[in-house]
Amino acid sequence: MTFELPASLGVRGDRKMAEDIISRIWGKKGVFTCTIANTLTSTIPGVSEAGDTPELTLYTGPADAEYLVMGKVTCMKGIPINPGGIPTPATLTKAALNLSRMPYFIINGGSKIIPNIPCIEVGGEAGDKVNTGHTLRNVLKSFEYGKILGAQLADAHDFVVISESCAGGTTTALAVLLAMGTITENLVSSSSPKNPKQLKWDLVMEGFKNAGISIGDYADDPLKAIECFGDPMMPVNLGIILGAAKKVPVIIGGGTQMAPLMAAAVKLDPSVVGNIMQGTTRWLLSDPNSSMVKIMEHISDRIPMVYINMDYSASPYEGLQAYEWGFIKEGVGCGGSSVAAVISSAGEIDCGKLLDEVHRLYRIVMQLD
Amino acid sequence: MTFELPASLGVRGDRKMAEDIISRIWGKKGVFTCTIANTLTSTIPGVSEAGDTPELTLYTGPADAEYLVMGKVTCMKGIPINPGGIPTPATLTKAALNLSRMPYFIINGGSKIIPNIPCIEVGGEAGDKVNTGHTLRNVLKSFEYGKILGAQLADAHDFVVISESCAGGTTTALAVLLAMGTITENLVSSSSPKNPKQLKWDLVMEGFKNAGISIGDYADDPLKAIECFGDPMMPVNLGIILGAAKKVPVIIGGGTQMAPLMAAAVKLDPSVVGNIMQGTTRWLLSDPNSSMVKIMEHISDRIPMVYINMDYSASPYEGLQAYEWGFIKEGVGCGGSSVAAVISSAGEIDCGKLLDEVHRLYRIVMQLD
């Protein structure tokens, strides 16, 4: 008997593996985590649009976290928006959490601004700019804490979802992927339809120069690559993958920002393959300016990319229609949480129900009612 | 049709209320939290036996937390023991968590020593000695974070269990109960069979003198009583009760240390009654040197005390038999987690299975195998 995926979920890559993993956790109980973090990379003008201004990008993670937990933001005014008034993807994440009643926890991977909510601390600190060539401290501590937390969550849940809210994270992801030699060209995404690819490349190359390394030099030392060029959501999430995937499936929620974690996990413990899959969005996988699929070809052909088939084109709200024009695409685990909601509800939650709940939440956050 | 409790659970107080609450969560999924905290009260010689020496009492909370999460302790040598080699009640808590697969989280209410594991941070700090008359800072912040966390946990679970590991906590509990005027005599317990009642009383009275107050002066201001005489597990746990009990039942795990929380919760929001119960041990309720039952008479006659019917008298290990001689009795949510394990498993887990698992864990921690 074969397991058939519902229309709300799509797969790129190894479909058989996706069906195998999903069939094992279908209708079961997961736990969702979102790790907030910063490097100062996002404050370099032009790098990140995850925030209305470069300075406000430092508030995006903590504000997303407050919104998920409290349904409102207290560390800044309003919810995080991209320039043009496009609301944070946390609206979709919150819809998925509301409908599924999945337990959720915020991890402070290392955020410059600490949100006004309880967070799980893992000893991380906000990082420096990627072009310094040495972004992070305390990598080993956060990595070890991640392993402990991953095992702890896997003890009591049938699957674990990880995710991130870290502005500038595609640039640090690019740097780590290049340092590991996973890719040799710029294939990462952006929350803007005008992906500033040259700027990102130049910053990473400046970082490599400052660190005195070339592409691929840290192929065998992913933790060193993360310490020099990564962001603080990476070590803890890498640890969670390794700690949890020994016991239960792990859904790696997010876009190309999560690629270095998958590359590093496969390098450090190849046995995770078979128990991990990416959980993302249709928007991310259909982005013409990046290619998660191509990146994955260099990581493993046995880590499926499972996406939620959300389509905002018929939404009455321009701020949501913008997702169809290439804005946002991913973040705050909106893809992973939605995929998890479909799975844990055994298909009872679908894209239609998610869209209704996103609309309800959108009207509240945009004060339209 | 009436709901019948299994033999593994007993009730003091309002049996009908206990049956009502338990019947609503029978076979359902809870979440367990343990809040670690300190005041320097436990370092006053003679006050606390929750640690081999007065100084080591500061390590008891973090070591208990590490043991629950990792099954081993790294912040000190060995697991917490009372003088005489009696192991921490965390052995029973861990047995309950292992058997039930209940999710569990450590909250850092304010611990002098930070354990080497991920903790949920709530902005608390370790407190001063109770005889100073001003033990805590940041009470309001931890209280608010507790309310947020309580609501967050209740969103995704059918019931919430709170607990503590805070050495010297019966002394701070006595002080808060007297400041609120809940009781006017020393009815709190001790982890030693020789409860140092006079010493505790004298320290509390010295604290009252330094604060310039008399018994009952803070009857209408529980948060002020906690700020002056409480410990840092109190504000966050009080917040969790108020935040969670609006939505789901809360099991208040622990002995007389939890009495001030129940008194304060009833004062701040009487509507919690009907959705809260104490979860404790037979040992605590049968202690001749304290009286949880009498304390509860002054708080509410509608908060049932539900206990796990564990009996270590036939155990082959002296360190466990000592529980029958009046040592330990409660702590680290051993009662609450065991009660919760029976409930969430719909009675499948019973005292016999818990005892077998405690023996297995005891042999590991005492290196007997």
Side-chain angles (χ1 to χ4, degrees):
Chain A
M1 200 177 91
T2 55
F3 176 80
E4 202 162 324
L5 288 180
S8 294
L9 299 182
V11 182
R12 297 295 298 271
D14 190 339
R15 188 175 184 93
K16 220 169 123 91
M17 176 72 84
E19 288 170 347
D20 170 60
I21 293 174
I22 293 173
S23 68
R24 284 188 272 131
I25 56 176
W26 192 246
K28 301 219 171 163
K29 295 284 169 207
V31 59
F32 174 81
T33 63
C34 182
T35 300
I36 59 172
N38 291 117
T39 67
L40 292 177
T41 310
S42 68
T43 64
I44 301 169
V47 168
S48 172
E49 295 215 331
D52 204 20
T53 66
E55 293 69 36
L56 276 177
T57 59
L58 295 179
Y59 286 82
T60 298
D64 278 333
E66 290 180 348
Y67 175 66
L68 286 187
V69 172
M70 298 191 290
K72 65 179 180 183
V73 172
T74 60
C75 71
M76 64 178 234
K77 202 167 153 359
I79 63 160
I81 53 168
N82 277 39
I86 307 157
T88 168
T91 43
L92 176 54
T93 315
K94 189 153 183 68
L97 296 176
N98 283 356
L99 295 182
S100 65
R101 280 194 73 212
M102 186 159 38
Y104 56 95
F105 294 93
I106 306 300
I107 300 167
N108 177 22
S111 180
K112 196 82 182 166
I113 310 294
I114 303 299
N116 298 314
I117 49 169
C119 293
I120 299 177
E121 284 291 329
V122 294
E125 293 171 39
D128 213 333
K129 293 175 182 166
V130 72
N131 54 340
T132 63
H134 200 136
T135 51
L136 297 189
R137 281 170 298 220
N138 290 345
V139 163
L140 275 182
K141 182 172 180 183
S142 297
F143 175 62
E144 290 300 327
Y145 275 41
K147 286 199 280 189
I148 294 167
L149 182 59
Q152 181 181 350
L153 294 172
D155 272 347
H157 302 89
D158 301 316
F159 64 95
V160 174
V161 188
I162 62 168
S163 70
E164 58 68 40
S165 180
C166 177
T170 52
T171 308
T172 37
L174 174 64
V176 174
L177 289 168
L178 290 171
M180 289 181 65
T182 309
I183 56 175
T184 53
E185 52 177 330
N186 185 349
L187 297 169
V188 299
S189 185
S190 163
S191 65
S192 162
K194 316 177 295 293
N195 189 343
K197 294 179 93 152
Q198 190 62 47
L199 173 61
K200 289 179 181 179
W201 184 267
D202 293 345
L203 287 168
V204 172
M205 288 305 123
E206 190 185 338
F208 279 24
K209 197 173 154 201
N210 283 328
I213 72 145
S214 305
I215 290 174
D217 276 7
Y218 290 150
D220 294 320
D221 195 349
L223 288 171
K224 185 75 181 168
I226 289 173
E227 180 187 324
C228 291
F229 308 106
D231 57 57
M233 75 90 185
M234 292 179 179
V236 57
N237 273 334
L238 177 58
I240 294 176
I241 295 171
L242 297 184
K246 282 188 202 321
K247 304 179 179 183
V248 299
V250 177
I251 296 177
I252 296 162
T256 53
Q257 285 186 248
M258 304 313 258
L261 302 185
M262 293 186 268
V266 169
K267 174 67 75 176
L268 293 174
D269 182 359
S271 77
V272 297
V273 174
N275 232 9
I276 64 175
M277 64 182 222
Q278 189 175 10
T280 188
T281 64
R282 182 181 62 84
W283 305 305
L284 186 279
L285 287 173
S286 56
D287 176 24
N289 295 316
S290 69
S291 182
M292 186 63 226
V293 172
K294 273 194 196 165
I295 297 173
M296 191 67 93
E297 282 168 7
H298 296 285
I299 297 173
S300 167
D301 56 5
R302 295 176 61 224
I303 302 176
M305 293 154 276
V306 178
Y307 60 92
I308 187 79
N309 231 336
M310 295 299 289
D311 187 332
Y312 285 175
S313 55
S315 170
Y317 307 114
E318 272 210 359
L320 295 176
Q321 288 166 24
Y323 280 64
E324 299 298 330
W325 312 331
F327 290 92
I328 309 271
K329 295 188 272 291
E330 245 296 2
V332 204
C334 73
S337 60
S338 296
V339 168
V342 173
I343 292 172
S344 69
S345 70
E348 167 93 22
I349 297 168
D350 59 17
C351 288
K353 286 182 183 164
L354 285 166
L355 186 61
D356 288 347
E357 181 68 2
V358 167
H359 282 157
R360 191 184 72 81
L361 294 171
Y362 184 84
R363 286 192 295 271
I364 295 170
V365 296
M366 303 308 256
Q367 302 179 311
L368 299 180
D369 279 343
Chain B
M1 201 178 88
T2 56
F3 176 79
E4 202 164 323
L5 288 180
S8 293
L9 299 182
V11 182
R12 298 295 298 270
D14 190 338
R15 189 174 183 94
K16 220 170 121 89
M17 176 71 84
E19 288 170 347
D20 170 59
I21 293 174
I22 293 173
S23 68
R24 283 187 274 131
I25 56 177
W26 192 246
K28 300 218 171 164
K29 294 284 169 207
V31 59
F32 174 81
T33 64
C34 182
T35 301
I36 59 171
N38 292 115
T39 67
L40 293 178
T41 311
S42 68
T43 63
I44 301 169
V47 167
S48 172
E49 294 214 334
D52 204 22
T53 66
E55 294 69 35
L56 276 177
T57 59
L58 295 179
Y59 286 82
T60 297
D64 278 334
E66 290 180 348
Y67 176 66
L68 286 186
V69 172
M70 298 190 290
K72 65 179 180 182
V73 172
T74 60
C75 71
M76 63 179 236
K77 204 168 153 357
I79 64 161
I81 53 169
N82 277 41
I86 306 157
T88 167
T91 43
L92 176 54
T93 315
K94 189 153 183 69
L97 296 176
N98 283 355
L99 294 182
S100 66
R101 282 194 72 211
M102 187 158 37
Y104 56 94
F105 294 93
I106 305 301
I107 300 167
N108 177 22
S111 180
K112 196 83 181 165
I113 310 293
I114 303 298
N116 297 315
I117 50 169
C119 293
I120 298 177
E121 283 292 329
V122 294
E125 292 171 38
D128 212 333
K129 292 174 182 168
V130 71
N131 55 339
T132 62
H134 199 134
T135 50
L136 296 189
R137 281 170 297 218
N138 290 345
V139 164
L140 276 183
K141 182 172 179 182
S142 297
F143 175 61
E144 290 300 328
Y145 275 40
K147 285 199 281 188
I148 294 167
L149 183 58
Q152 182 181 350
L153 294 172
D155 272 347
H157 301 90
D158 301 315
F159 64 94
V160 174
V161 189
I162 62 167
S163 69
E164 58 69 40
S165 179
C166 177
T170 53
T171 308
T172 37
L174 173 64
V176 174
L177 289 167
L178 290 172
M180 289 181 64
T182 309
I183 55 175
T184 53
E185 53 178 327
N186 185 348
L187 297 169
V188 298
S189 186
S190 162
S191 65
S192 162
K194 316 175 297 293
N195 189 342
K197 295 179 93 153
Q198 190 61 47
L199 173 61
K200 290 179 180 179
W201 184 267
D202 292 345
L203 287 168
V204 173
M205 287 305 124
E206 191 185 337
F208 279 25
K209 198 173 153 202
N210 283 330
I213 72 144
S214 304
I215 291 174
D217 276 7
Y218 290 150
D220 295 320
D221 196 349
L223 287 170
K224 185 75 180 167
I226 289 173
E227 180 185 325
C228 291
F229 308 107
D231 57 58
M233 74 91 185
M234 292 179 179
V236 57
N237 274 333
L238 177 59
I240 294 176
I241 295 172
L242 298 183
K246 283 189 202 318
K247 304 179 178 183
V248 299
V250 177
I251 298 177
I252 296 161
T256 53
Q257 285 186 247
M258 303 315 258
L261 302 186
M262 293 186 268
V266 169
K267 173 67 75 177
L268 293 174
D269 182 358
S271 77
V272 297
V273 174
N275 232 9
I276 63 174
M277 64 181 221
Q278 189 175 10
T280 189
T281 64
R282 182 181 62 83
W283 304 305
L284 185 279
L285 288 172
S286 56
D287 177 23
N289 295 315
S290 69
S291 181
M292 186 63 226
V293 172
K294 273 194 195 165
I295 297 173
M296 191 66 92
E297 282 167 8
H298 296 284
I299 297 173
S300 168
D301 57 4
R302 296 176 60 226
I303 302 176
M305 292 155 276
V306 178
Y307 60 91
I308 186 80
N309 232 336
M310 295 299 289
D311 187 333
Y312 284 174
S313 55
S315 170
Y317 307 114
E318 273 211 357
L320 295 175
Q321 288 166 24
Y323 279 65
E324 299 298 329
W325 313 332
F327 290 92
I328 310 272
K329 295 188 271 292
E330 245 296 3
V332 204
C334 72
S337 59
S338 296
V339 168
V342 173
I343 292 172
S344 69
S345 70
E348 166 93 21
I349 296 168
D350 60 16
C351 288
K353 287 183 183 164
L354 285 166
L355 186 61
D356 288 346
E357 181 69 1
V358 167
H359 281 157
R360 191 183 73 81
L361 294 172
Y362 183 85
R363 286 193 295 272
I364 295 170
V365 296
M366 303 308 256
Q367 301 178 312
L368 299 180
D369 279 343

